[in-house]
Amino acid sequence: MPALRRESAFALEVYENLGNSHTLRRSQACRYLIVFQKPKYWWVNHTQTHRQELEGEYLWSPRKNQNRAKNVSYDNMIHVMPGDVVFSFADAAIRAVGVAIGRARETPKPPAFGSAGNQGGTDPGWQVPVRFKELTDPLRPKDHRSQLAPVLPARNSPIQVSGDANRSVYLAAVPEPMVDKLTELFAGQVEQIVESITQTTAGRLVDDAAEERIMQRTDIGPTVKKTLVNARRGQGVFRINLEQIERKCRVTGLLDRRHLRASHIKPWCICDDREMLDGFNGLLLSPHVDHLFDRGYVSFSDVGDLLVSKELNHAVLESWGIALPRNVGPFRQEQCRYLEYHRVHVFEKSSGGRRGQSTGAAEDPEAAVNGEPVVVRTE
């Protein structure tokens, strides 16, 4: 018990410091820029290993040239962040777009390369996990060289003014004017691919990117960084604060905290520092209910009515013993602003790429009219 009191006191101190510190106030104006920072765009010149890297879902490069000299395009590998976008250039065209799903790590040359990719000898290199999707309409830079030439980077450009690849460059950063021109030329293909890849990660990619940005911040120390990252996992200060407000799963009634997840109402990845740790921005939920809530299949009204997405197969609720209609009790005023955010931005919109037409049990015919969700209320 004394240890628990010390932990609770620490939680309160960190939480209050986040709200009151000069550092926080100074950085408050830029905090959402950190969370919503645009991804970086990269251009990879694939040669002999094009097919292996696309199918293996990675980029791989040596760390240095064969003569041990540094290579900027190899150094770029360690700067790729989760969520960054990669244009894959091979055989004179951009043929695929990928999304980085992790940071670079040191690995040996992939066995799939065989004798290819020997620029760095036998030394380990950098490998970045990237999920690619091939374009239905590849883009040949030579066909658009007059439009691309003015927006090429002055140094370490991935292509020449002629539209040919710069063979000395493997991975290059794409400046914003060039990104704008490429996305214009692709006419929506890039955005569609990035969205489809991101959805397949069930939200992990967005959270990973937000976590990496926290770890790179210079306005907070390591203790606060760890506290904010632990909150992503429903641990530490956030859970302590939440358990002062919620005591059980509102849907199942389970009280045993060992089997309850501390779930953010407003998703962790788009919260500011204080919201990440705010106990009012959370619910204690049984794992299966947490899954439904996190993916946007269910939500709650301010007065506690269970809201069920029209995309949710009702057989799921029946199998899990969630009877309808159901009211879980009214929420506090401080919780309601977070619930409003969940209803508007998460409910029926965040199903981790698994949304689609329901199969199995028939939907409520009235719920399908004009795409309205099923709203389950007690009379």
Side-chain angles (χ1 to χ4, degrees):
M1 185 61 72
L4 179 60
R5 282 200 296 270
R6 285 196 299 271
E7 188 177 8
S8 298
F10 172 75
L12 181 61
E13 180 181 359
V14 171
Y15 183 61
E16 289 181 342
N17 285 342
L18 280 172
N20 299 324
S21 71
H22 171 70
T23 300
L24 182 69
R25 289 195 299 272
R26 179 169 53 82
S27 65
Q28 203 152 19
C30 67
R31 179 174 303 123
Y32 284 101
L33 296 179
I34 292 170
V35 175
F36 293 109
Q37 179 183 343
K38 289 182 179 180
K40 289 183 179 178
Y41 285 74
W42 303 91
W43 179 302
V44 60
N45 281 323
H46 276 129
T47 52
Q48 297 168 293
T49 59
H50 168 239
R51 184 51 53 190
Q52 292 95 319
E53 292 186 74
L54 257 64
E55 294 178 356
E57 298 190 336
Y58 59 80
L59 301 178
W60 189 89
S61 80
R63 291 180 298 174
K64 296 182 179 179
N65 292 333
Q66 282 185 316
N67 62 3
R68 302 293 180 181
K70 291 190 67 175
N71 185 315
V72 172
S73 65
Y74 296 161
D75 291 343
N76 280 337
M77 295 282 282
I78 64 175
H79 299 300
V80 179
M81 299 282 289
D84 284 358
V85 180
V86 181
F87 295 107
S88 170
F89 179 89
D91 298 327
I94 299 175
R95 301 186 178 276
V97 174
V99 177
I101 56 176
R103 296 293 305 275
R105 63 183 186 275
E106 188 178 282
T107 68
K109 188 182 78 170
F113 281 16
S115 61
N118 283 332
Q119 299 92 326
T122 59
D123 292 341
W126 299 120
Q127 182 168 309
V128 178
V130 179
R131 191 163 294 170
F132 287 102
K133 188 169 182 180
E134 297 193 54
L135 292 156
T136 54
D137 296 309
L139 184 140
R140 288 173 50 86
K142 274 194 172 185
D143 297 339
H144 307 278
R145 56 184 178 272
S146 62
Q147 294 173 272
L148 290 173
V151 295
L152 295 178
R155 300 179 61 186
N156 302 308
S157 175
I159 56 173
Q160 303 171 32
V161 174
S162 64
D164 293 314
N166 185 345
R167 294 301 178 184
S168 65
V169 173
Y170 173 67
L171 183 69
V174 182
E176 190 168 343
M178 189 175 175
V179 171
D180 293 341
K181 180 54 65 177
L182 287 170
T183 52
E184 176 188 327
L185 293 172
F186 276 118
Q189 282 192 88
V190 174
E191 294 88 340
Q192 291 173 6
I193 287 177
V194 170
E195 182 179 2
S196 67
I197 293 174
T198 302
Q199 286 181 345
T200 65
T201 65
R204 291 188 302 273
L205 179 59
V206 180
D207 283 350
D208 288 347
E211 181 171 325
E212 289 291 346
R213 290 178 183 124
I214 286 174
M215 298 309 295
Q216 291 188 4
R217 285 171 59 179
T218 58
D219 61 321
I220 55 177
T223 301
V224 175
K225 289 180 182 179
K226 182 179 180 181
T227 301
L228 296 175
V229 170
N230 283 344
R232 171 190 176 182
R233 297 161 177 79
Q235 300 171 357
V237 173
F238 169 64
R239 179 151 193 147
I240 292 171
N241 290 338
L242 173 57
E243 289 183 350
Q244 307 306 310
I245 300 162
E246 296 284 317
R247 303 289 183 176
K248 64 180 181 180
C249 174
R250 285 182 176 246
V251 176
T252 66
L254 182 65
L255 286 163
D256 192 335
R257 62 189 296 274
R258 296 172 299 176
H259 306 296
L260 295 175
R261 292 181 180 172
S263 179
H264 283 85
I265 300 173
K266 180 179 178 180
W268 173 87
C269 62
I270 51 178
C271 289
D272 63 34
D273 295 354
R274 188 174 180 85
E275 290 172 333
M276 287 182 178
L277 305 181
D278 188 359
F280 290 109
N281 184 24
L283 295 171
L284 290 175
L285 298 173
S286 298
H288 58 306
V289 180
D290 173 66
H291 163 83
L292 296 176
F293 186 75
D294 183 63
R295 301 293 182 88
Y297 286 118
V298 299
S299 191
F300 303 98
S301 71
D302 292 349
V303 296
D305 295 319
L306 180 64
L307 312 179
V308 181
S309 168
K310 66 181 179 63
E311 301 290 348
L312 180 61
N313 186 338
H314 278 231
V316 174
L317 298 179
E318 294 171 6
S319 297
W320 285 344
I322 302 176
L324 302 176
R326 179 169 300 223
N327 183 283
V328 300
F331 292 91
R332 301 190 193 189
Q333 183 177 357
E334 297 90 340
Q335 294 172 300
C336 289
R337 72 181 185 92
Y338 292 117
L339 284 170
E340 181 181 9
Y341 186 96
H342 188 274
R343 291 192 297 267
V344 172
H345 298 286
V346 180
F347 182 50
E348 295 203 306
K349 296 182 178 64
S350 179
S351 54
R354 295 193 175 103
R355 284 182 63 185
Q357 292 184 351
S358 300
T359 58
E363 293 184 3
D364 183 337
E366 292 185 3
V369 177
N370 297 324
E372 292 298 320
V374 178
V375 181
V376 182
R377 305 184 184 278
T378 51
E379 299 297 335

